[in-house]
Amino acid sequence: MSQWKQIQQLETRLLEHVDYLYDDNFPMDIRQGLADWIEAQDWDTAVSDEPMAAMLFKNLLSQLERVRLQEQVFLQRHNMKMIQQHLQLKYSSNPVSMATVISSCLKEERRILSSACMQEQGPLEKSLQN
Amino acid sequence: MSQWKQIQQLETRLLEHVDYLYDDNFPMDIRQGLADWIEAQDWDTAVSDEPMAAMLFKNLLSQLERVRLQEQVFLQRHNMKMIQQHLQLKYSSNPVSMATVISSCLKEERRILSSACMQEQGPLEKSLQN
């Protein structure tokens, strides 16, 4: 199961933390629309590798274009175009910045999932782990 | 049938004109989510009536809050919150500006629908009208 699918199964209190991770810097529509592709890329390395960040930025835009062209719903197609234009303006001269944002969001999601997992374990399992 | 429903039945070429009407000034998510409510308000009068524009702005935010609280899908709920914050920042000190944008979009939609209607009529009907 993708990390994003696990995230969406969290209880409301933890989902609120996820809610705060996403804004114009990394629209949640992208996180959801390209969930598997995003999780398959090495954003952590791209944070300190400008050519790799530039390549990932270019590939992300291609992925968005593919999704937009397949989209049948007018509103969703429009929103996808808005997001493409927004990302072009924001990151085309600084793709490392985009890699940094995405890397950080994915790490924070893993931290939230991990804390949810710990809460689900009873006192016995926790003491065994310690 | 609401004006917005008629818009969505237009052919792709005309939908592209509608596409250009909507951006951060008036997100299409609002146009779709509150279609009937938006079409029932008198935005044309509010353009030159500041207290009325302020009341419509307040009511629009209430409508969005109602939609957000009813929304079951995490992504849509998040997007609705983003839009609420964006509109608060953009129009709370200038609600007339919002009324002007919405009034203009609705008029432009009617113009596009009217041109589509004229194109559907055959040469005979056109000559009869003239």
Side-chain angles (χ1 to χ4, degrees):
Chain A
M1 190 194 294
S2 75
Q3 183 172 311
W4 185 244
K5 279 206 181 125
Q6 290 177 59
I7 284 286
Q8 289 179 83
Q9 292 174 358
L10 290 174
E11 56 176 304
T12 309
R13 188 179 53 81
L14 287 166
L15 268 182
E16 276 177 19
H17 290 286
V18 180
D19 194 54
Y20 282 106
L21 297 179
Y22 291 91
D23 54 21
D24 272 0
N25 292 311
F26 185 22
M28 199 186 276
D29 292 273
I30 302 182
R31 180 67 183 97
Q32 178 145 322
L34 300 179
D36 293 337
W37 183 84
I38 283 170
E39 290 171 29
Q41 314 307 310
D42 184 359
W43 302 100
D44 297 345
T45 302
V47 165
S48 52
D49 183 337
E50 207 277 339
M52 184 178 173
M55 188 197 67
L56 284 179
F57 175 62
K58 193 180 150 206
N59 291 349
L60 178 78
L61 290 179
S62 301
Q63 292 288 329
L64 286 177
E65 181 66 4
R66 180 183 57 77
V67 169
R68 188 178 70 82
L69 292 173
Q70 288 172 349
E71 180 61 61
Q72 296 298 309
V73 179
F74 176 51
L75 173 65
Q76 303 306 334
R77 209 161 57 236
H78 167 86
N79 284 346
M80 205 50 80
K81 195 187 79 173
M82 291 287 106
I83 288 171
Q84 283 175 295
Q85 291 173 350
H86 168 73
L87 293 183
Q88 282 274 13
L89 274 172
K90 195 169 184 78
Y91 295 123
S92 58
S93 61
N94 188 7
V96 164
S97 170
M98 187 192 72
T100 306
V101 169
I102 298 182
S103 163
S104 161
C105 280
L106 294 179
K107 271 183 200 152
E108 194 58 23
E109 282 180 10
R110 286 193 290 273
R111 199 190 60 75
I112 293 168
L113 283 172
S114 161
S115 80
C117 182
M118 290 296 281
Q119 282 170 25
E120 273 179 15
Q121 289 177 336
L124 177 62
E125 289 87 339
K126 273 187 191 165
S127 71
L128 283 173
Q129 277 189 337
N130 296 336
Chain B
M1 191 194 295
S2 76
Q3 183 172 312
W4 185 243
K5 279 206 180 123
Q6 289 177 61
I7 284 286
Q8 288 179 84
Q9 292 175 0
L10 291 174
E11 54 177 306
T12 309
R13 188 180 53 80
L14 287 167
L15 269 182
E16 275 176 21
H17 291 285
V18 180
D19 194 54
Y20 282 105
L21 298 179
Y22 291 91
D23 55 19
D24 273 359
N25 292 311
F26 185 23
M28 199 186 276
D29 292 273
I30 301 182
R31 180 66 183 97
Q32 178 145 322
L34 300 180
D36 293 336
W37 183 85
I38 283 170
E39 291 172 29
Q41 313 308 311
D42 184 359
W43 302 100
D44 297 346
T45 302
V47 165
S48 53
D49 182 338
E50 207 276 339
M52 185 180 172
M55 188 197 67
L56 284 179
F57 175 61
K58 193 181 152 207
N59 290 350
L60 178 78
L61 290 179
S62 300
Q63 292 288 329
L64 287 176
E65 181 66 5
R66 179 184 58 78
V67 169
R68 188 179 69 83
L69 291 173
Q70 286 171 350
E71 180 60 62
Q72 296 298 309
V73 179
F74 176 52
L75 173 64
Q76 303 307 334
R77 209 161 55 234
H78 167 85
N79 284 346
M80 204 51 79
K81 194 186 78 175
M82 291 287 106
I83 288 172
Q84 284 176 294
Q85 290 172 350
H86 169 72
L87 293 183
Q88 281 274 14
L89 273 173
K90 195 169 184 79
Y91 294 123
S92 58
S93 61
N94 189 7
V96 165
S97 169
M98 187 192 74
T100 306
V101 169
I102 298 182
S103 162
S104 160
C105 280
L106 294 180
K107 271 184 200 150
E108 194 58 23
E109 282 180 11
R110 286 193 290 273
R111 200 190 61 75
I112 293 168
L113 283 172
S114 161
S115 82
C117 182
M118 291 296 282
Q119 282 169 29
E120 273 179 15
Q121 291 177 334
L124 176 63
E125 289 88 339
K126 273 186 192 165
S127 69
L128 283 173
Q129 278 190 337
N130 295 334

